[in-house]
């Protein structure tokens, strides 16, 4: 069983989207059917979405953390809907709005370039439907 991953973004620090699917290589012969490759010829979006279904919401720790000046945040949502991902300073002031709109179900990566921000601790908040979660990120310059 093989796992095929596709990443888009600004290498090596920023990942905008990840897609994947599993496939099984049944034989090494020429012309033998390869399970899991049925979507060849369809658009990338149709193929990519198949491996991204999740059972629930999830907000993962950003990477790298601490960071300077860019980091990537990852979250997953089980169904499409309105998503908000914001960054706040320790005084509760919003300093960045990273996501504010409809997103499809699946795994999402969002980059944050904090070049204009001061070193310190920041809190990021994900809201998707009734789900809310927070994470902490440290910017070291």
């Amino acid at each position: 069983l093989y796992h095929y991953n596709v990443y888009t973004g600004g290498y090596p620090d920023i990942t905008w989207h990840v897609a994947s699917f599993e496939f099984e290589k049944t034989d090494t012969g020429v012309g033998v059917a390869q399970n899991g490759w049925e979507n060849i010829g369809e658009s990338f979006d149709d193929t990519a979405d198949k491996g991204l279904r999740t059972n629930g919401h999830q907000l993962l720790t950003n990477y790298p953390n601490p960071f300077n000046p860019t980091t990537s945040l990852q979250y997953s949502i089980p169904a499409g809907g309105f998503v908000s991902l914001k960054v706040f300073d320790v005084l509760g002031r919003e300093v960045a709005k990273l996501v504010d709109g409809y997103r499809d179900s699946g795994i999402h990566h969002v980059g944050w370039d904090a070049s204009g921000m001061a070193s310190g601790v920041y809190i990021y908040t994900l809201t998707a439907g009734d789900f809310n979660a927070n994470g902490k990120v440290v910017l070291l310059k």
Side-chain angles (χ1 to χ4, degrees):
L1 187 65
Y2 295 87
H3 196 85
Y4 186 81
N5 296 313
V6 177
Y7 299 87
T8 60
Y11 181 83
D13 299 321
I14 299 172
T15 304
W16 296 321
H17 186 77
V18 175
S20 64
F21 64 92
E22 292 181 347
F23 66 96
E24 181 179 339
K25 185 176 178 184
T26 58
D27 196 339
T28 58
V30 176
V32 176
Q34 304 298 317
N35 294 331
W37 291 90
E38 293 84 8
N39 293 314
I40 291 177
E42 294 181 15
S43 73
F44 177 79
D45 289 339
D46 291 342
T47 303
D49 187 50
K50 300 205 183 309
L52 298 177
R53 302 288 178 199
T54 60
N55 292 328
H57 295 87
Q58 189 174 20
L59 176 62
L60 301 173
T61 303
N62 67 296
Y63 181 81
N65 192 16
F67 74 102
N68 178 24
T70 61
T71 189
S72 179
L73 297 96
Q74 180 179 336
Y75 65 92
S76 64
I77 54 176
F82 181 83
V83 174
S84 172
L85 181 58
K86 298 178 182 179
V87 181
F88 298 89
D89 65 15
V90 292
L91 297 176
R93 297 176 296 203
E94 181 180 319
V95 297
K97 188 180 294 185
L98 304 178
V99 177
D100 188 37
Y102 181 88
R103 295 296 182 268
D104 290 328
S105 65
I107 301 168
H108 299 269
H109 294 262
V110 179
W112 180 36
D113 184 345
S115 297
M117 307 302 299
S119 294
V121 176
Y122 294 88
I123 307 298
Y124 53 93
T125 302
L126 174 70
T127 303
D130 294 335
F131 178 78
N132 291 297
N134 300 306
K136 180 173 61 172
V137 60
V138 177
L139 172 60
L140 291 178
K141 290 189 172 184

